[in-house]
Amino acid sequence: MLVLVTGGMGFIGSHVVTALTEAGHGVRVLDALSPTAHGAGAPPLPPVPGVEVMRADVRDRAAVVAALRGVDAVCHQAAMVGLGKDFADAPEYVSSNDLGTAVLLAAMAQEGVRRLALAGSMVVYGEGRYDCARHGTVRPGPRGVADLDAGRYEPPCPHCGEPLSPGQVTEDAPLDPRNVYATTKLAQEHLAAAWARATHGTAVSLRYHNVYGPRMPRDTPYAGVASLFRSALERGEAPRVFEDGGQRRDFVHVRDVADANVAALHGLGTRIEPGTLRAYNVGSGTPHTIGEAAGALAEAFGGPQPVVTGEYRLGDVRHVTASSRRIRDELGWSARIGFADGMAEFARAPMRAPTPPTLPTAEAPAPETIPASAT
């Protein structure tokens, strides 16, 4: 089938393009080639020879309609990612992620494209799963400034105040987005679910956990924590680990994530009921702490050892790790690249060098096609 990959020149999207072509599918890319992700130089070449790349913003309705012609399915990776710098980023997050998704879905409805794989995120859960010895599974509230200032990072049981045991979150857990980016990712899911009901389309949301690997952007506050650590090492600096470094996450390699997208697109034609959106966690299934990730990268890079700073960000959560059993059982996907091997590769892998963001222009540029035969 012919698949449109939005954001297909980006970190995750470029790996998705490679995985799809290796699986025998045709691919077309729509990407704005934002300087914050790609740098200010000449546009990068198509990720795979023979792949057509259309340079346009996903909020440009005419460009999206043109990109959808002849397409069988869409893999929607285009988004503004990360926690950002402060709340002043909120309008651009909402515009890029939610308006962009709405424009895409409206164009898909118009053009009769009925299969969608959405790049979701584990941030929609807020905190992950916690169990109290007395009260069973509980949902702790947001951590308070006074506790964080005092170094009390672990959320207590909301009923008795006793310590909690973190576990793996499933797709049926309550959703509780706690920052602007998380809110936009949940809104994307709601929009996709509404589109599926209205058009009798099929959709999946792949809730990525902490994705890392080659081609991550460096030196930007909008990247994931693994990129921040690797960027510091590239500059000859020690990675700065917030809180006490004990935050638990599920680090999943980008090539595994790309393979999950291929499995999801195959499932849209066979396993997913029309008119619905089905969510899947995409994680390795093996939790590691933030401190372990920083240490593994520093050791493999041969750079300065991490520094635990005690700093914190109110938008962060303490622990969130994945149960990826649903996607394994229903779509046959599981991660193949282990933490040690993946981090060792990433420590020496090439990264992108973005430039500081510029203010958006009043009008989006006309779509530009980068020839697929460029070398």
Side-chain angles (χ1 to χ4, degrees):
M1 59 182 166
L2 177 59
V3 181
L4 175 66
V5 181
T6 68
M9 300 292 278
F11 164 46
I12 297 176
S14 63
H15 288 277
V16 171
V17 169
T18 299
L20 284 169
T21 56
E22 290 178 349
H25 299 295
V27 178
R28 181 181 297 149
V29 167
L30 180 74
D31 198 306
L33 296 175
S34 166
T36 58
H38 299 281
L45 298 176
V48 176
V51 172
E52 178 188 7
V53 179
M54 298 180 66
R55 182 174 186 174
D57 196 296
V58 74
R59 292 167 287 189
D60 182 341
R61 175 69 175 267
V64 173
V65 168
L68 285 170
R69 289 178 185 140
V71 162
D72 300 296
V74 173
C75 189
H76 183 31
Q77 305 293 318
M80 187 173 176
V81 301
L83 190 57
K85 294 180 291 186
D86 53 43
F87 203 83
D89 289 327
E92 188 61 18
Y93 269 104
V94 172
S95 179
S96 296
N97 298 355
D98 298 337
L99 176 59
T101 298
V103 170
L104 172 67
L105 294 172
M108 290 175 66
Q110 172 184 317
E111 296 300 307
V113 181
R114 297 292 182 263
R115 297 180 183 180
L116 172 70
L118 172 69
S121 175
M122 57 87 175
V123 295
V124 299
Y125 296 116
E127 290 284 355
R129 172 178 173 150
Y130 292 87
D131 292 304
C132 173
R134 291 176 55 190
H135 297 98
T137 301
V138 297
R139 296 285 296 174
R143 296 179 296 171
V145 171
D147 285 336
L148 292 168
D149 283 341
R152 295 188 292 268
Y153 304 120
E154 296 288 343
C157 174
H159 306 296
C160 66
E162 292 298 309
L164 298 172
S165 298
Q168 293 184 330
V169 67
T170 66
E171 292 88 348
D172 296 325
L175 303 181
D176 184 18
R178 297 191 177 184
N179 57 58
V180 171
Y181 172 60
T183 301
T184 67
K185 296 306 288 183
L186 181 55
Q188 283 185 314
E189 289 196 4
H190 289 319
L191 287 165
W195 165 86
R197 287 192 297 272
T199 65
H200 208 58
T202 54
V204 296
S205 177
L206 299 174
R207 292 174 180 167
Y208 302 157
H209 282 248
N210 285 68
V211 187
Y212 72 97
R215 305 178 203 156
M216 288 192 89
R218 66 175 175 86
D219 297 325
T220 169
Y222 301 97
V225 67
S227 174
L228 299 179
F229 293 156
R230 172 61 201 285
S231 296
L233 291 165
E234 196 86 14
R235 298 191 301 268
E237 301 171 3
R240 295 175 62 82
V241 179
F242 281 16
E243 301 185 19
D244 60 359
Q247 309 94 305
R248 288 159 57 98
R249 298 291 188 270
D250 187 318
F251 293 91
V252 59
H253 196 278
V254 67
R255 288 197 296 274
D256 283 329
V257 170
D259 289 342
N261 277 269
V262 176
L265 287 169
H266 291 170
L268 287 172
T270 58
R271 301 296 302 272
I272 311 301
E273 182 180 353
T276 64
L277 177 140
R278 185 74 165 156
Y280 293 102
N281 285 332
V282 177
S284 71
T286 305
H288 289 276
T289 67
I290 296 290
E292 287 172 337
L297 283 172
E299 181 177 357
F301 190 86
Q305 288 301 301
V307 175
V308 178
T309 68
E311 297 171 274
Y312 63 84
R313 299 187 300 184
L314 278 176
D316 283 339
V317 297
R318 180 62 176 175
H319 304 297
V320 55
T321 60
S323 168
S324 295
R325 180 174 179 176
R326 176 184 288 181
I327 192 171
R328 182 193 67 203
D329 291 349
E330 295 186 7
L331 302 182
W333 175 89
S334 59
R336 297 175 298 154
I337 301 173
F339 178 81
D341 290 341
M343 287 293 174
E345 178 203 17
F346 179 49
R348 292 296 178 183
M351 299 181 74
R352 296 171 184 258
T355 57
T358 57
L359 292 175
T361 57
E363 295 184 5
E368 171 189 350
T369 300
I370 300 175
S373 59
T375 58

